[in-house]
Amino acid sequence: MVDQWTDTEQTQLYFSAFRLSANGMAFFSEEGLFLRVNPAFGKQIGYPEEALNGMPWEPFIHPDDRKQIRSIMEDLANGTPVFQPFEARLIRRDDTPVRCTVTAPVAPRPSGLPAPLFVQILESDARSQFATPAPERETTREPVGTGGDSLYRTLVEQCTDVVSMHDLSGRILHISPSCRELLGYEPEDLIGTSAFDLLHPEDLIKIPGAISTIETAPELPLISYRIRTKNGGYVWFETSGRITGDEHDLENGQTVICTSRDISSRKQTEQQLKKTNELLQKISSIDALTGLANRRFFDERFAKEWRHAMRFSTPLSVILLDIDYFKRYNDTYGHHDGDACLKYAAEAMRHAAKRPGDMIARYGGEEFVIVLPVTDSRGALHVAERMRSEVERLRVPHRGSAVSSFVTASLGVATMIPVRDVSPRELIIRADKALYRAKQEGRNRAVAYNDE
């Protein structure tokens, strides 16, 4: 039966969970020493694990929290039960504090052994801040005479991680009581079921790779995934594991011991950070006044379109648009109205260039640039004429213009099929020459570049 465990199997499960947990955990003895420290604990406070075991714990506790821990130790020594965990601060190697919880043991200790306090680091992301030597591979053999079963039972009962044992098919053989709080299930609800049935469908594809890895190596790679709770929602879990047992033992077979932690808050933070970064990226690529792409984004996009057109030998067109007599417009109506005029012109250009791949950017001042991928010279001139017409159709009054009583625009068009020995800048130069011709020929017109 899956729920019948020998003392040796229980001890092995608890000990493996303690070693594998991504949560920093330690036991303090009433003698004032670190009784046990797992690898994550040492890493999160910046010390090698072997440098902590057997060392006094007081130097690693914030001075303001030491008195309370000593008081709890005295209560335990006097037989006074302590039920409420409290929050304290550890001191990392770089002298910065990290939050932890301190909990009195639930399981009784064998006679004559000191009562330990269970310490768990809360700020788990701190583990990435320190580079410490990787711990040597641990065996599952617990030192004789240390009361390991009772000690590590405390871990399983009080740790916020979910400790579970599975066969290689994913069937749950044992799971710790913490599944109640994190998932809403009683342990007996899950024992005998497949863990894969609880995974989010989109995350199931991650599991075959993890399983294939564990078949050739004893360590399960750290994986994150969504798991269904009893109420039908999902939480994010991060799981590490280790294969145990003898593959040649036909009766017992091999099992996988896993420790899983709720990382939903971290995932939410990551998603918020991702959205913030995307927003910042967007903001950094947009001209604040017109809402069009800015010069920096144009440079990046134009280089990309040039390479793409060169690879596939497709035409690439560029239009340069300049608002006619815009300095006179500012002098006549003021900069506030000048800004409004540029916004109107930007909207008119959007109406004229509607393909998803077309890009309009503010090139500088009253000048704009339009990139038209896979567009020949005839098509580009048609778009340019449509833009000129849209700007004129705005009928924004312009008393300072020498070409019209309304705001107008001049446009230069150039098209090339990029080749390796020609600089992308050449296409911009040609469009600028065409724009110069449009102005020379009377403005309010679109002119295409030619070599003549």
Side-chain angles (χ1 to χ4, degrees), residues 161-178:
D161 286 356
V162 173
V163 180
S164 57
M165 179 178 282
H166 309 253
D167 62 21
L168 294 185
S169 71
R171 187 167 60 106
I172 300 172
L173 306 178
H174 180 83
I175 192 164
S176 64
S178 52

Side-chain angles (χ1 to χ4, degrees), residues 355-402:
R355 294 187 312 173
D358 298 341
M359 186 198 68
I360 310 170
R362 189 177 179 189
Y363 202 57
E366 71 276 16
E367 194 170 36
F368 299 85
V369 60
I370 301 92
V371 180
L372 305 174
V374 198
T375 306
D376 60 18
S377 57
R378 182 177 178 180
L381 189 60
H382 176 74
V383 172
E385 177 56 33
R386 196 161 65 228
M387 285 188 170
R388 185 206 65 78
S389 178
E390 289 285 350
V391 171
E392 189 175 38
R393 190 176 292 121
L394 292 171
R395 299 186 70 80
V396 177
H398 189 354
R399 295 194 305 270
S401 174

Side-chain angles (χ1 to χ4, degrees), residues 8-67:
T8 300
E9 289 171 332
Q10 288 278 17
T11 300
Q12 181 187 55
L13 174 65
Y14 301 154
F15 180 61
S16 296
F18 180 73
R19 300 294 304 165
L20 289 171
S21 179
N23 268 1
M25 302 180 202
F27 291 97
F28 291 172
S29 76
E30 75 172 350
E31 298 168 336
L33 304 176
F34 280 103
L35 187 61
R36 289 286 185 278
V37 173
N38 75 347
F41 186 93
K43 190 173 183 181
Q44 285 170 248
I45 67 171
Y47 292 91
E49 174 195 357
E50 58 271 17
L52 295 174
N53 281 319
M55 292 291 292
W57 52 257
E58 279 206 8
F60 299 90
I61 298 293
H62 193 283
D64 294 344
D65 299 328
R66 294 171 188 169
K67 183 177 179 180

Side-chain angles (χ1 to χ4, degrees), residues 8 154 163 167 172 237 258-259 282 290 301 316 329 348 407 418 441 452:
T8 300
T154 300
V163 180
D167 62 21
I172 300 172
F237 262 23
C258 295
T259 58
K282 184 176 181 181
T290 63
R301 175 71 179 275
L316 180 65
Y329 187 93
V407 168
E441 293 175 10
E452 296 178 1

Side-chain angles (χ1 to χ4, degrees), residues 162 175-190 198 227-235 237 262:
V162 173
I175 192 164
S176 64
S178 52
C179 67
R180 294 190 193 102
E181 183 177 350
L182 295 183
L183 299 175
Y185 298 100
E186 292 296 324
E188 54 267 26
D189 295 337
L190 298 177
L198 298 176
I227 187 166
R228 190 176 67 250
T229 63
K230 191 171 184 177
N231 65 12
Y234 284 90
V235 297
F237 262 23
D262 184 351

